């Protein structure tokens, strides 16, 4: 369809065509010497043709009072169209305006100074209303003391020397007065008097423009105060959710530190924890919620609580992370977190661990060699659809391990492996207690109060004991093949070991009874191979029995007529604590602890 042909019939198109014709005629009229529209009324294209010799228009359509005869455009009453009767107001030229008048009417404060002493040449009414009248010709440091209070006198010198404008933002007078954004612009004054060459010479001045930004400055300060309060709330929440005092296992020395990001950085969700599992085993966890502010801290608190609950189940590290992964997705699908969960077993001298997208554990052995914990490493918590796996790394006597978050080693513009390598070098040369090593690692990696990210670091040591200290730690184990002789052998073995460790008679009797009941329970409900293990630390006696069956025992109430079912109840009654867990190779371990009397 030819839209060009059809569009000519639309009423709106006809009106626009008429307007273009009239506009072209007006332009042609102006080109022949008519007065421009900016300086006079709009001329009618037919007015010149109907103007008599006396100079007065014969067509009344210009003034809008005629009858409209002869024009053919107005209505019967003689009224002309609005677009042809309006008279435009003349626009004054900028050259006709006085500079003093323009500056005087500005709401901003304006002052003009000249010469090396910045003598006052002019101040506008707004300046006078703000700071009072000023004496022309006086130096700025005398007549304009407010400029000195705002620290602007050196700025005037810089502008005068360089000939370039300068701006100073949010300058507040002493005493908490108004705030101004000040712009200083170089101005050249022509000299008066003298010969013609001297009259053409110039000397420098400065135009000072002070815009009152007090409301803006107060709004910015309120915003900053609000951000500070939010940050303080997040930091307070973060610190309250972290352990106030770390548990100290018998076989490890542990220290941890948390450093929030600088004042310009939002608080993240870094956390750490130490959980005593029983039987001398200790769980260690460190993690980082990928978020900022109160929300990240709240998610961190929920994950830390869940870790402690799952740790009580005494599950392998990868199973704990598997449970955490599902929980993290339920808490907030938009929040993910990295985490390392590790379990230290002093009997094995190993650190079993699983990682959910976290940085590797570093271990320095007694000879000073630093090793990274190898894979397995799974994706962060909250991603789902992944089966985590566990790994092990040796942690023998004299070894030091470091768990940390990415804020310690990650830097803008650098590969994170470079930061981990720098941490390895720092750990190789760091000596002392765990708390001392924490401080040295933070300093070596450049973490200070202005650091741009949260940092959490945990250091654990397996001390190499000798002398009198070593006498407080002993291990003894007996392999049990089963049969009716297993229980008497276990009682005799426990009696001899506990006597050699010089325990009080009452504690020896309780220990023998507990070992007998645990072995009897394993003989009845477990399968070979079986082992009885006794361990002494400086604070407790640990008795543990392992076997090849993975069904965990539970405490139950035995009826009066029952001949069995009282062993675990007896152990739970006489011991300080007891528990059970599945072992990695299949089977289970049942243990109990007795607190040693204070010396």
């Amino acid at each position: 369809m030819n839209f060009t042909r059809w569009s000519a019939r639309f009423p709106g198109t006809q009106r626009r065509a008429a307007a273009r014709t009239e506009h072209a005629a007006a332009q042609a009229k102006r080109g022949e010497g008519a007065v421009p529209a900016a300086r006079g009324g709009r001329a009618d294209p037919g007015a010149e043709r109907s103007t008599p010799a006396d100079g007065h228009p014969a067509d009344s359509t210009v003034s809008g009072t005629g009858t409209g005869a002869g024009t053919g455009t107005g209505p019967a009453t003689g009224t002309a169209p609005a677009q042809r009767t309006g008279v435009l107001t003349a626009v004054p030229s900028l050259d006709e305006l006085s500079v003093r008048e323009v500056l005087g009417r500005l709401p901003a404060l304006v002052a003009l100074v000249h010469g090396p002493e910045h003598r006052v040449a002019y101040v506008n009414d707004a300046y006078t209303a703000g700071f009072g009248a000023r004496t022309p010709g006086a130096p700025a440091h005398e007549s304009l003391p407010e400029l000195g209070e705002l620290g602007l006198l050196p700025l005037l010198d810089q502008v005068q020397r360089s000939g370039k404008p300068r701006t100073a933002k949010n300058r507040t007078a002493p005493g908490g007065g108004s705030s101004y954004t000040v712009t200083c612009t170089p101005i050249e004054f022509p000299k008066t008097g003298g010969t013609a060459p001297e009259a053409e010479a110039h000397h420098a001045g400065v135009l000072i423009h002070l815009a009152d930004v007090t409301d803006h400055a107060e709004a910015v300060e309120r915003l900053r105060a609000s951000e500070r309060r939010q940050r303080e709330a997040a930091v307070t929440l973060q610190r309250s959710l972290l352990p106030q005092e770390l548990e100290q296992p018998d076989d490890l020395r542990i220290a941890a530190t948390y450093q929030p990001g600088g004042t310009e950085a939002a608080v993240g969700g870094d956390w750490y924890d130490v959980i005593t599992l029983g039987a001398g085993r200790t769980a260690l966890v460190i993690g980082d919620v990928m978020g900022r502010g109160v929300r990240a801290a709240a998610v961190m608190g929920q994950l830390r609580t869940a870790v402690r609950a799952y740790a009580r189940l005494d599950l392998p590290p990868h199973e704990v992370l598997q449970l955490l992964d599902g929980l993290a997705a339920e808490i907030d699908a938009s929040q993910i977190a990295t985490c390392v969960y590790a379990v230290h077993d002093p009997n094995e001298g190993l650190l079993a661990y699983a990682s959910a997208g976290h940085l590797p554990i570093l271990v320095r052995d007694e000879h000073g060699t630093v090793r990274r914990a190898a894979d397995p490493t799974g994706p962060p918590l909250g991603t789902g659809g992944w089966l985590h796996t566990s790994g092990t790394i040796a942690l023998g006597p004299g070894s030091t391990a470091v768990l940390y978050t990415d804020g310690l080693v990650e830097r803008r513009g650098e590969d994170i492996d470079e930061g981990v390598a720098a941490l390895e070098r720092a750990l190789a040369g760091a000596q002392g207690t765990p708390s001392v090593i924490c401080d040295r690692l933070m300093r070596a990696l450049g973490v200070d109060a202005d650091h741009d990210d949260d940092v959490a670091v945990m250091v654990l040591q397996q001390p190499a004991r000798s002398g009198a200290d070593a006498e407080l730690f002993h291990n003894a184990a007996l392999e049990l093949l089963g049969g009716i002789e297993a229980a008497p052998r276990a009682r005799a073995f426990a009696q001899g070991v506990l006597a050699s460790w010089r325990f009080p008679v009452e504690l020896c009797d309780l220990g023998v009874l507990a070992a007998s009941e645990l072995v009897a329970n394993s003989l009845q409900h477990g399968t070979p191979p079986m082992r009885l293990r006794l361990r002494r630390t400086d604070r407790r006696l640990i008795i543990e029995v392992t076997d090849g069956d993975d069904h965990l025992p539970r405490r139950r109430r035995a009826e009066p007529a029952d001949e069995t079912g009282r062993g675990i109840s007896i152990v739970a009654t006489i011991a300080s604590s007891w528990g059970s867990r599945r072992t990695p190779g299949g089977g289970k371990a049942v243990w109990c602890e007795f607190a040693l009397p204070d010396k």
Side-chain angles (χ1 to χ4, degrees):
M1 182 179 291
N2 189 344
F3 285 99
T4 303
R5 179 168 60 86
W6 282 96
S7 64
R9 302 184 181 182
F10 295 159
T13 306
Q14 297 172 1
R15 287 196 297 270
R16 289 193 293 272
R20 286 196 296 270
T21 303
E22 184 180 359
H23 179 66
Q27 286 183 332
K29 188 73 174 182
R30 288 195 297 270
E32 296 173 359
V35 178
R39 295 184 177 270
R42 180 175 177 177
D44 182 56
E48 185 176 354
R49 291 193 301 271
S50 60
T51 302
D54 59 0
H56 296 284
D59 192 351
S60 61
T61 57
V62 174
S63 61
T65 60
T67 62
T71 62
T73 58
T77 58
T79 304
Q83 66 267 26
R84 299 184 59 192
T85 59
V87 177
L88 300 180
T89 304
V91 178
S93 172
L94 185 61
D95 297 337
E96 299 174 3
L97 300 178
S98 167
V99 175
R100 178 182 293 272
E101 182 181 3
V102 173
L103 297 180
R105 293 183 179 182
L106 289 179
L109 285 66
V110 177
L112 187 62
V113 298
H114 68 93
E117 295 183 348
H118 309 301
R119 295 185 177 275
V120 179
Y122 168 80
V123 294
N124 69 347
D125 294 341
Y127 198 104
T128 302
F131 295 113
R134 294 294 182 263
T135 304
H141 67 274
E142 296 178 0
S143 185
L144 304 176
E146 58 276 359
L147 299 185
E149 295 176 354
L150 295 172
L152 298 176
L153 296 180
L155 187 64
L156 298 180
D157 295 334
Q158 294 177 14
V159 172
Q160 201 169 51
R161 286 194 304 267
S162 65
K164 297 180 180 180
R166 296 285 189 272
T167 299
K169 296 182 179 180
N170 295 336
R171 293 294 180 93
T172 304
S178 300
S179 297
Y180 301 93
T181 290
V182 186
T183 301
C184 298
T185 306
I187 301 293
E188 291 188 352
F189 292 89
K191 289 185 178 180
T192 58
T195 62
E198 293 176 351
E200 294 177 357
H202 293 70
H203 63 275
V206 180
L207 179 67
I208 307 168
H209 180 279
L210 295 90
D212 193 334
V213 294
T214 303
D215 293 341
H216 174 73
E218 291 177 352
V220 170
E221 183 57 34
R222 288 193 297 269
L223 179 60
R224 289 175 177 172
S226 176
E227 291 176 347
R228 285 194 298 268
R229 288 192 296 270
Q230 292 181 8
R231 172 182 166 77
E232 291 171 359
V235 171
T236 301
L237 176 61
Q238 175 89 348
R239 292 193 179 278
S240 66
L241 294 175
L242 291 174
Q244 304 304 306
E245 185 176 355
L246 289 179
E247 299 180 23
Q248 294 295 330
D250 299 352
D251 298 276
L252 294 176
R253 292 186 295 179
I254 303 175
T257 184
Y258 168 73
Q259 173 68 49
T263 56
E264 300 299 325
V267 177
D270 296 16
W271 94 92
Y272 56 82
D273 208 350
V274 178
I275 308 166
T276 300
L277 301 179
R281 301 166 70 251
T282 305
L284 308 123
V285 59
I286 193 165
D288 184 3
V289 177
M290 300 302 178
R292 298 288 182 181
V294 175
R295 179 58 184 167
V299 173
M300 176 273 289
Q302 296 178 76
L303 290 178
R304 176 175 174 256
T305 302
V307 169
R308 295 192 70 88
Y310 294 147
R312 298 303 177 189
L313 301 176
D314 213 340
L315 300 171
H318 66 275
E319 293 188 21
V320 172
L321 290 190
Q322 206 68 44
L323 293 172
L324 279 178
D325 182 45
L327 179 64
E330 294 178 4
I331 293 175
D332 191 341
S334 64
Q335 295 272 9
I336 61 174
T338 64
C339 180
V340 166
Y341 182 84
V343 176
H344 174 252
D345 190 341
N347 296 314
E348 304 294 338
L350 295 175
L351 193 65
Y353 66 91
S355 175
H358 205 80
L359 295 167
I361 302 173
L362 301 183
V363 177
R364 186 191 66 202
D365 61 22
E366 57 182 342
H367 305 294
T369 302
V370 178
R371 294 171 293 123
R372 298 187 190 184
D375 290 340
T377 298
L381 302 176
T383 56
W386 186 271
L387 294 178
H388 294 82
T389 55
S390 297
T392 59
I393 187 171
L395 188 70
S399 297
T400 301
V402 177
L403 290 77
Y404 53 96
T405 58
D406 58 359
L408 181 65
V409 296
E410 190 174 24
R411 300 292 182 271
R412 291 188 178 92
E414 295 183 6
D415 191 275
I416 196 169
D417 286 336
E418 297 179 6
V420 177
L423 179 59
E424 288 179 336
R425 293 190 295 271
L427 177 60
Q431 302 291 334
T433 63
S435 59
V436 172
I437 293 178
C438 279
D439 295 338
R440 290 181 176 176
L441 294 181
M442 297 277 277
R443 289 196 303 269
L445 274 295
V447 178
D448 53 20
D450 296 326
H451 193 60
D452 61 356
D453 195 5
D454 291 29
V455 178
V457 182
M458 181 188 300
V459 175
L460 54 136
Q461 288 181 339
Q462 170 76 34
R465 297 181 175 89
S466 60
D469 188 31
E471 291 298 321
L472 300 177
F473 292 82
H474 293 284
N475 284 284
L478 174 65
E479 299 291 340
L480 299 171
L481 301 178
I484 59 174
E485 75 282 358
R489 286 186 59 204
R491 285 193 293 270
F493 176 78
Q495 181 70 46
V497 169
L498 297 180
S500 67
W501 289 349
R502 300 180 181 178
F503 283 144
V505 175
E506 181 181 357
L507 182 57
C508 286
D509 294 341
L510 292 177
V512 171
L513 176 59
S516 176
E517 292 296 337
L518 292 180
V519 169
N521 182 79
S522 180
L523 290 172
Q524 184 172 359
H525 302 286
T527 59
M530 291 178 288
R531 173 189 287 183
L532 170 63
R533 175 181 289 162
L534 305 178
R535 176 172 174 78
R536 172 195 172 145
T537 70
D538 58 343
R539 287 181 282 183
R540 55 180 54 87
L541 167 66
I542 303 168
I543 301 173
E544 184 179 67
V545 175
T546 60
D547 63 55
D549 186 82
D550 61 356
H551 290 85
L552 300 180
R554 60 184 180 87
R555 185 179 180 181
R556 65 183 182 87
R557 182 185 298 276
E559 298 297 331
D562 292 343
E563 296 183 359
T564 61
R566 296 179 176 83
I568 296 299
S569 295
I570 293 174
V571 171
T573 302
I574 64 176
S576 303
S577 60
W578 78 281
S580 61
R581 71 179 188 280
R582 290 185 174 89
T583 54
K588 66 176 180 295
V590 186
W591 54 269
C592 66
E593 294 181 350
F594 294 89
L596 299 184
D598 296 332
K599 294 183 179 180

